[in-house]
Each structure stands twice: as C-alpha cells, then as structure tokens.
Amino acid sequence: MTEISETPPTAIGRRTVLIATGATAATLAVAAAVPESPAPTADTTAPVAAAAVCTLTKEMTEGPYYLDGQYVRADIREDKTGIPLKLTLTVVDDDTCAPLGNALVEIWHCDALGEYSGFVGNNGHSEPDNGTFLRGGVLTNSGGVASITTVYPGWYRGRCVHIHLKVHTNVTLTSDGSFTGGQELHTGQLFFDETITTRVAALATYAANTVPRTTLAQDSIYDEGGAASGLLTLTALGSSTSAGYAGTLTVGIETS
C-alpha cells in the first residue's frame, strides 16, 4: 500500500489565522466586536484568558484530496455511516475580531474507512464513489457562524483524524447548487481530541477500517498547538459515544 503524504508547506507567507478555544471564546470574541449584540447568557460570562481569545497560528496544507466546485449545503453526509458531528465554526476578522458574514466555509474529509470521495481505494477499501460525499460548505450568517452537519471522520495511512477547511469570500452561487469565483482567504485543518477519537475508533463502523491509526502526537501536520492549530472543542451530543459530538472553533482570517 502506498502511503499518502501531506507534506507541510515550507513557507506560509504573511497570512495568519486567529483561533479561539471553543464556544465560550467564540462568544466573547464576537460580543467584544459587536457591542449592540444581546448580553451573553450566564454560561458565557466566565472569565477567559486573553491569549485564548486572540491566538495566531499558521495555515496548514490543503493536502492531495481537494476538489473544486462542491455543493453549498449544510449537511454533507449523504449516505455515509458514522456518528454525527455537528460543526459550528465562527469566522472573524483577525484585526478587529468582527464576525465575517456571507463567507463560504468549505470542508472536506474522509469517511469512516478513511476514503475520500473522488479518490476511493487510496486507503485500501472498496466502496461506491460519487465524488461528492463528505464535501461541501455553507455561507456564514451575519454573526460569522457556519453550521455544518457531517460524520466524525475516520483515518487514512500516515495521518491522524482531521477535517480540511477553506474560507472564501465574494463567491457566486450557481444554479446547480455549487459556487464559483471569489477569493480564498484561508486554508487549514481541524483536529480531534485523542481520547474521544480512541472511543470512536472502537465503534464497529470505524473498527472496520483496516489501516493502522496515526495519533495526534504521531501526525506530521499537527504541531501540538491545541486550539491555535485547529483543535476543536468537542461536546457530547448524548450519553454514549455513538450519539455523536458537537465541534466548535472560532477562526480569524486576514480580510485585506
């Protein structure tokens, strides 16, 4: 089996991204930028260190599995099995912390068997390939929030569990449900807590993946930077692992 490698870029340029550590930091960052917003509820008023709200980090490699022109849609699962993952990603301007509305947040990732649509078989498993499963994105609302429903990803040879991410502005929506044009402002990756991934990997759907799993600590891309490097804050959706998780992160980008 040929190992798929995603070599980290040697030069990122001057673009950086601001990552906050989950839902609480996201609420504080947006509230600070928009004074007229309603007062936060009691569960969002706990103090948060300033470093957790404004932490700069580099972009990460696009990898070999990106496909242009995917659908604009809030649910990218199609018929893929796996536990639910409900992502809430908040995009803000890194200079002002103001939310960035009407930006397209696009994600793509492998299924439970570690296979990407458009490239099925690269991880050693045979299954139907329509070129679109587990790919797509949505426009952020006026608060900079993009909500996407997918499944918890599996893994493929040489990489830990992750999701790829792009943020575009000024895209044109097309009649076939896709998008075109615009400006790509950010390319990154989202990562998962190793303790939770270990539980997920034990479920039958994921255990069917015959490729050895690479952990966060072993990964060649993730740099142990926590939320500053795209580590999601995960919250259980129920009392069992199979109920799935909610994942949150605030991503700040350069808009000029």
Side-chain angles (χ1 to χ4, degrees), residues 69-91:
Q70 293 302 312
Y71 292 125
V72 177
R73 54 184 178 173
D75 190 331
I76 66 172
R77 291 175 294 180
E78 298 187 10
D79 62 351
K80 283 298 165 183
T81 57
I83 66 171
L85 176 66
K86 296 183 179 297
L87 292 171
T88 302
L89 305 174
T90 304
V91 182

Side-chain angles (χ1 to χ4, degrees), residues 120-204:
V120 167
N122 279 9
N123 203 43
H125 304 91
S126 178
E127 57 179 334
D129 186 356
N130 63 3
T132 62
F133 66 75
L134 303 181
R135 296 179 182 273
V138 297
L139 294 172
T140 58
N141 63 18
S142 60
V145 176
S147 298
I148 302 174
T149 298
T150 185
V151 298
Y152 203 102
W155 59 91
Y156 53 98
R157 193 175 302 276
R159 286 303 317 277
C160 68
V161 172
H162 65 283
I163 290 176
H164 291 273
L165 167 74
K166 284 184 183 288
V167 178
H168 314 255
T169 55
N170 300 316
V171 301
T172 299
L173 302 186
T174 58
S175 59
D176 63 354
S178 184
F179 69 96
T180 188
Q183 180 182 8
E184 182 184 305
L185 295 183
H186 172 64
T187 299
Q189 297 184 23
L190 307 174
F191 297 95
F192 295 79
D193 179 85
E194 191 62 33
T195 300
I196 293 175
T197 292
T198 299
R199 296 175 193 152
V200 173
L203 299 174

